[in-house]
Amino acid sequence: IMDALAYEFINTNDVHISLYNILTLLLLIFLSRLAVYVIKKGLNRYQKSSSIDGFDEAREYTVGQLAKYLIYTFAIILSIESLGLDISILLASSAALFVGIGLGLQNIFNDITSGIFLLFEQTVAVGDVVEIDDLVGKVEKINIRTSKITTRDSITIVVPNHVLIGNKVINWSHQTKITRFRIDVGVAYGSDIDLVIKILEESAFEHPDISSRELTEARLVNFGNSSLDFELHFFSRNFMRIEDVKSDLRFEIDNNFRENDVEIPFPQRDLHIRSSDVNFQSGREGLEG
């Protein structure tokens, strides 16, 4: 058996690869994958048992990803050594190549660095709802170079990590799982303001996606050109489908306004005709006659 393990497939001055080296490499790959699996399972159990302490899914994902990268890095180093290759010689001989690759792959290295910062800082974490350049979506996965975001239309977008670090990003769920939204409503002058506020708030109370009855509030905000302008403020957890929630509320508000004879006006304009223009037009018609 020892002779079989010592059998060398490649035998040069610098490289000696035997069956023993290959089996060691396979064992390292198996152990590294097993270690990653065990760590992720352990973190998942810990997260379920310590949810009160705030160890949420985002932290579980971050720790799991960092552990995976570290384990795979050590596994690669040990695998190279198990094949009889001297890492120092390999790095020294490839220094010029690495410089050229580094210059050509600056954006990729920037994304990798940004990915590490995201995993450590957690300014954007898995499960967060973010807004980037008027695009709203839920972060599904943060990899070492790119992140996957699912939009409201269920379209998956792959975003380079440096965008989440360097650009302006609005994180709707960074510190809280509920966010306040607003609907603008205008009613005709002469309407009962107290009745309008009551209708707006009760319309919101009836929707199942409105999170807090106490924090729901309607306000008279302005005297518009042709309407009394109101705002309905409400909190909801349904970030991804908030436009559907707003549409439901508008339907409910319109129905309640109709039942209570509250009018939603349309813009009106007064047309003023100067007398000189009327006289000129009348004189022209008389000449033509």
Side-chain angles (χ1 to χ4, degrees):
I1 296 177
M2 297 301 297
D3 293 338
L5 293 176
Y7 176 76
E8 296 182 344
F9 295 95
I10 299 177
N11 187 356
T12 63
N13 293 332
D14 298 326
V15 180
H16 302 276
I17 300 178
S18 64
L19 179 60
Y20 172 80
N21 299 129
I22 295 176
L23 293 177
T24 303
L25 175 62
L26 295 176
L27 180 62
L28 286 171
I29 295 175
F30 171 77
L31 291 177
S32 61
R33 294 180 66 88
L34 178 62
V36 171
Y37 174 80
V38 170
I39 289 175
K40 287 187 175 182
K41 283 294 183 181
L43 289 172
N44 184 261
R45 291 180 180 178
Y46 181 76
Q47 186 268 332
K48 292 180 179 179
S49 63
S50 62
S51 58
I52 299 178
D53 297 332
F55 191 85
D56 54 15
E57 294 181 1
R59 290 188 176 88
E60 174 196 345
Y61 178 84
T62 298
V63 175
Q65 288 292 94
L66 292 175
K68 182 179 73 173
Y69 296 144
L70 290 175
I71 290 173
Y72 284 164
T73 300
F74 282 115
I76 292 173
I77 295 174
L78 293 176
S79 299
I80 294 175
E81 291 183 347
S82 68
L83 295 177
L85 300 175
D86 190 343
I87 296 179
S88 60
I89 296 176
L90 181 64
L91 293 176
S93 60
S94 305
L97 177 62
F98 289 156
V99 171
I101 294 176
L103 294 175
L105 302 178
Q106 289 183 8
N107 290 335
I108 293 179
F109 290 147
N110 185 19
D111 291 331
I112 292 175
T113 304
S114 299
I116 294 174
F117 277 113
L118 284 174
L119 292 173
F120 273 108
E121 293 182 350
Q122 292 190 340
T123 52
V124 176
V126 173
D128 286 351
V129 177
V130 297
E131 180 177 350
I132 308 172
D133 297 331
D134 297 329
L135 177 68
V136 178
K138 183 178 182 180
V139 180
E140 300 291 347
K141 192 173 184 180
I142 299 178
N143 295 316
I144 192 65
R145 192 182 68 84
T146 60
S147 298
K148 293 183 179 179
I149 298 177
T150 302
T151 67
R152 290 171 172 171
D153 299 323
S154 298
I155 299 174
T156 300
I157 299 178
V158 179
V159 179
N161 285 333
H162 78 269
V163 174
L164 299 177
I165 291 291
N167 291 15
K168 178 182 178 181
V169 178
I170 300 175
N171 191 335
W172 287 13
S173 53
H174 179 54
Q175 295 179 337
T176 179
K177 295 302 181 183
I178 64 173
T179 298
R180 189 172 77 166
F181 299 95
R182 186 187 77 192
I183 290 180
D184 298 323
V185 182
V187 300
Y189 277 96
S191 301
D192 188 336
I193 294 178
D194 293 331
L195 176 61
V196 172
I197 290 179
K198 180 181 178 182
I199 291 175
L200 292 177
E201 292 180 349
E202 289 183 350
S203 299
F205 297 157
E206 297 174 1
H207 199 284
D209 285 329
I210 304 304
S211 299
S212 175
R213 184 185 182 97
E214 292 77 14
L215 297 177
T216 301
E217 180 185 15
R219 302 174 182 173
L220 173 62
V221 295
N222 193 21
F223 296 97
N225 293 329
S226 57
S227 65
L228 297 171
D229 297 333
F230 291 81
E231 289 181 354
L232 174 61
H233 296 265
F234 61 92
F235 284 79
S236 177
R237 300 177 185 272
N238 195 353
F239 304 136
M240 294 296 290
R241 294 289 179 259
I242 193 60
E243 297 303 324
D244 295 337
V245 175
K246 289 183 177 181
S247 177
D248 294 341
L249 288 178
R250 293 187 181 103
F251 270 106
E252 187 67 23
I253 291 170
D254 182 65
N255 290 332
N256 291 335
F257 277 176
R258 292 176 186 273
E259 292 177 359
N260 291 274
D261 296 326
V262 177
E263 180 184 354
I264 299 178
F266 54 87
Q268 300 180 16
R269 297 290 184 270
D270 293 331
L271 179 62
H272 297 277
I273 301 177
R274 290 181 295 183
S275 58
S276 59
D277 294 335
V278 175
N279 294 333
F280 174 77
Q281 184 68 20
S282 299
R284 183 179 178 181
E285 291 177 354
L287 292 174
E288 291 176 353

